[in-house]
Amino acid sequence: RPKAILCISAHWYTKGTKVTAMQFPRTIHDFAGFPRQLYEVQYPAKGNPSLATNTKKLLKPISVELDEKWGLDHGAWSVLKHLYPEADIPVIQLSIDFSAPASYHYNLAKKLTSLRNKGVLIIGSGNIIHNLQLIDFQKFDEDDYGYDWAIEAHEIINNALKNEDYNSLINYEKLGKAVQLAVPTPDHFLPMIYALGTKQKGD
């Protein structure tokens, strides 16, 4: 059971790097067109200003802004509510700097690894195949349905993970047309890069 959680969500995509530092982060419903019940979900976990400050120090010389405005977006709470439904573990979020390449995020994540030894659970929350413009909603609920490019991208990325070929994943733009279609923007892909960067020997 972790002492605290640090979440890197695809839905906090900023210029520069920020970390939430408030005592009581709000639940953010940053989506549209979904059932009313989703907008009523609250995840009242406490924040952890001390962990936020320590994270800022840990990432030096990278400049990290302590943020008092954001909260917990649905990339965070939609996962956490299933892992820890009582919302009884403090949570902070680290934003994803949209101006930096994947290699930057991988190296930044490596600096976070020591937090694991202090009881902090680090979560990368995204969606590796995430092209909303090409979803076929008519077949969305069919078992085993997927575009050929999505299935190919799934296999390419899974094989790279199994083989620990992280260099290919960091340079995902070079993995061919299928992966380009699966990852039209990096926001949902980069949380996985953070997870890989915090991986320790034996994981």
Side-chain angles (χ1 to χ4, degrees):
R1 178 179 172 83
K3 296 177 181 177
I5 298 167
L6 187 156
C7 184
I8 298 100
S9 162
H11 291 274
W12 199 20
Y13 204 46
T14 60
K15 173 67 173 175
T17 301
K18 302 181 181 184
V19 62
T20 56
M22 68 285 289
Q23 186 66 53
F24 299 100
R26 64 193 175 104
T27 302
I28 304 171
H29 300 91
D30 50 329
F31 44 72
F34 287 91
R36 176 181 52 82
Q37 291 89 336
L38 274 178
Y39 298 91
E40 296 173 352
V41 172
Q42 293 293 315
Y43 194 77
K46 291 182 180 180
N48 191 326
S50 176
L51 177 58
T53 300
N54 288 340
T55 301
K56 176 183 172 75
K57 291 177 182 177
L58 193 61
L59 295 179
K60 286 182 177 180
I62 301 297
S63 176
V64 178
E65 177 185 337
L66 295 177
D67 179 271
E68 298 277 352
K69 298 178 181 178
W70 188 245
L72 300 178
D73 59 54
H74 81 272
W77 63 255
S78 67
V79 174
L80 292 173
K81 72 182 291 293
H82 296 289
L83 291 174
Y84 302 103
E86 299 301 316
D88 54 355
I89 298 174
V91 183
I92 66 171
Q93 278 196 227
L94 183 74
S95 76
I96 298 174
D97 182 354
F98 61 71
S99 68
S103 57
Y104 166 92
H105 297 288
Y106 183 76
N107 291 324
L108 195 69
K110 283 188 169 297
K111 294 186 173 189
L112 297 173
T113 305
S114 62
L115 293 177
R116 295 182 56 185
N117 301 326
K118 298 177 181 178
V120 178
L121 171 64
I122 301 173
I123 296 176
S125 175
N127 200 341
I128 294 169
I129 298 173
H130 190 268
N131 193 328
L132 296 181
Q133 292 185 336
L134 295 182
I135 287 178
D136 185 345
F137 285 99
Q138 301 296 323
K139 298 184 177 181
F140 195 71
D141 293 325
E142 288 185 19
D143 290 339
D144 299 324
Y145 173 76
Y147 287 111
D148 290 345
W149 58 263
I151 294 168
E152 181 183 349
H154 181 264
E155 291 175 351
I156 290 169
I157 292 167
N158 274 12
N159 285 335
L161 287 169
K162 290 174 185 175
N163 295 325
E164 298 188 354
D165 181 9
Y166 301 156
N167 190 56
S168 289
L169 296 171
I170 291 167
N171 296 285
Y172 67 92
E173 302 97 330
K174 300 177 182 178
L175 288 178
K177 184 66 174 178
V179 173
Q180 289 175 17
L181 287 170
V183 189
T185 58
D187 47 339
H188 268 267
F189 188 80
L190 289 173
M192 181 186 70
I193 298 298
Y194 275 89
L196 298 180
T198 59
K199 181 177 180 291
Q200 295 175 324
K201 188 175 182 179
D203 288 345

